[in-house]
Amino acid sequence: PGSSPCSPSFPTNSAPLSVALHTIMLSRQLPRAARSTATTAVRSKALRVSPRLVDGSNRAYSAQVAGLWRAGFAARQDGRSSRAFQVPARNMSTGEKPLFDKILIANRGEIACRIARTARKMGIKTVAVYSDADARAVHVKECDEAIYIGASPAMESYLQMDRIIEAMKLTGAQAVHPGYGFLSENPVFTQMLEKEGLTFIGPKTFAIQSMGDKIESKTIAMNAGVSTIPGQLGLINDEAAAIKVSKEIGYPVMIKASAGGGGKGMRVAHNDKEAGEGFRLAKAEAAASFGDDRIFIEKFVDKPRHIEIQIIADSHGNCVYLPERECSIQRRNQKVIEEAPSPFIDEATWRKMGEQAVQLAKAVQYQSAGTVEMMVDGDKNFYFLEMNTRLQVEHPVTELITGLDLVELMIKVAAGEKLPITQADVKKEGWAMESRIYAEDSLRNFLPSVGVLHRYVPPVDHEGVRIDTGVEEGSTISIFYDPMIAKLCTYGKTRAEAIDKMKRALDDYVIKGVVCNINFVRDVMDNPRFMSGDLTTHFIDQEYPAPGFKGHILTTAEADRLASIAAILWAQHSQQKRLYLSTGGSKVAGKDTVGAAALLSVTSTVQIMEEKDLVVTIQGTVGDPITKRIHIKAHKPELGDVITSTFKVGVDDGEPSVLSAKLPINSGLYTAKDANGADLQTVQLVETTFDGYVLSMSGSPYKIKVWRPRIEELSKYMPIRDLTENTNELRTPMPGKVHSIAVKVGEDVLAGQELCVVEAMKMQNVLRAPKDGVIKSIHAEVGQNLNLDDLIIELD
């Protein structure tokens, strides 16, 4: 206020949101020493502004402005480590100063961090936007400035176009990169940007409109000479019409949202019942995710592979296609594992697909990066599915095998530059694999998981590994957004090498606080059919049929290895206990101690180098317990060590082997080596129990008991607690919101009948009756937010 040199100049008619935006900018731009005085002054002014409505609703923003200061605005941290493994990239720079000095990233999470990384490399400043839930998110720290744009639900923040544009004006950002999802394929947003003279780092409005409507895009593709799937091009209005059209096309059919993408608003139907239900659920998901519930139906291709072609085009008429991506490992039509190139597509087929993709791009005057998705049958016939007019989630695998930076190319094309490559320049080298790490419970039909990442240690130091993530230790996975934690990518000279690196990286990925799907993707990596490259979009349903993935079943060799590692860990902990004095202290060599660790002078090496017979039982999440009898002998501790790191271990009277291991580090990782010092197996110490451990091996947890033989014999007489589940109650298996309730009190229901639908992370989840019965009471209502295990319905 007054003549302070730190005072900003506010427009007299600015709304509280505008004041808040200026406030954040000021706190970021001033030298650190001047911030406290300046921000205190601005805070006073911001809080004195009378409440004004920003979006025409009845909710004023004065309380939000006041809350900005509690959120904290962390400036970009210097010296942070890059989480990306980089293949040596070609020099694509034109040597000219970039057109953009500053860009705003209208997204969150890992993709916002990914875009910021490239912008920083190009010398372009970045502006982050964030909601209440993301006030302390990693992407806020990754950017040079950060702007608060609203409440946690995406409809009140990341989808608020006016606020995004206002943030651009206030920060001086000349362009916006939308990432994927949210506003990335919204033609209304691009039109608004054009009117304001701001640049959208993506295609033009016409291309987004044309390709965003699945019915129109299919018509354009047919006219452009692109192969298409037979189906109904008209919109479907109700369940009866959906069933009629499905029968005319012939089952199976794919029910799809016209404005859909990312697996949402899609259902496969094999009969009339599934067609009616699938239409209703797809329509609801489409409305919730895209604000557009239009539905159409097409033939579902049998034994299909999902192959996509990445293209990049400029405003000078140049367009190139890049090597194909294999995206057939899908769950609920959402990709889980991707790779490039495909183990199925030959060069001739890739060329044909690429040429048709370019034809389609030119038909809609495409400019920027885009992806043409194709369905390919067993005879390598391919059919157009859709064109995603944005950067794909799985773009890193293409970058790894080509050396191109797709975000950099998008920025340059948006700035009006010519593509620095031609089709002849496109080369592929090696193989790349991507696993999407989601906060979801693979053992409970992939239900979303929410919570705080109490421990988060990604395998960043592995060779040939790239991790795109937007979280860190302490981050919260909330119900408001997609449950992705990270994209874990590996690169090798061959497919087998990329898979091996993926296995090791998954084994070394430590995530605690939420349930994640590492156990599932790790199991897929060991699947013989996956390793052979025999893939279709039915892979998960066929390899993990109902009741679905329930955990890894150990082979005999794996069980022997896990039991041996557990025995070594137990022996080391036993030695460790022997070498520690009581907390009350004692005498050692006539001198007082304070309970600290006594070295080998306290306990003789004979006591350390003991031999033991042990019984190890292993209980996984599936299958019967496995019992192994172990004979273990400790070697002499190495020079400088207090306890033994090398042991001779025999399993079930088999030939003993020499294994070595160091006690787990802070992350809980515990790696056993063979006699030659080569890594044999890495496990994670999840928990220490009174009679053993919970160890995770190859992503799956195992309860392990380590007993002396006599104790194991007596354990047979211990009573077993009855944990029978109460099937009279329907409880929510995930946090979410009640979308619909299909029954009433007093109604008779059959086992498997739909009772309600809970919406979680933009997906509609049908909850069904656990048994035959009568609805006794309903404890929830439509629109109600539920926590995990909240009671919804009781049955008699």
Side-chain angles (χ1 to χ4, degrees), residues 112-182:
C113 295
R114 159 74 188 90
I115 295 165
R117 190 163 57 242
T118 287
R120 186 162 56 249
K121 179 184 70 175
M122 298 175 70
I124 300 173
K125 291 182 179 180
T126 54
V127 179
V129 293
Y130 68 95
S131 66
D132 285 334
D134 283 338
R136 292 175 177 82
V138 174
H139 77 274
V140 174
K141 303 175 186 178
E142 287 280 345
C143 294
D144 299 287
E145 302 173 47
I147 302 297
Y148 171 82
I149 54 171
S152 299
M155 288 297 294
E156 299 178 41
S157 51
Y158 295 103
L159 293 176
Q160 288 289 324
M161 293 176 276
D162 288 337
R163 297 180 200 170
I164 298 293
I165 292 174
E166 184 178 2
M168 293 179 69
K169 292 178 180 179
L170 290 167
T171 57
Q174 302 123 320
V176 56
H177 198 304
Y180 55 76
F182 293 142

Side-chain angles (χ1 to χ4, degrees), residues 234-236 255-258 265 279 282-283 286 293-297:
L235 291 174
I236 313 298
I255 302 168
K256 301 175 70 173
S258 181
F279 171 83
K283 192 177 183 69
D293 65 355
R294 293 176 300 153
I295 298 294
F296 73 103
I297 300 175

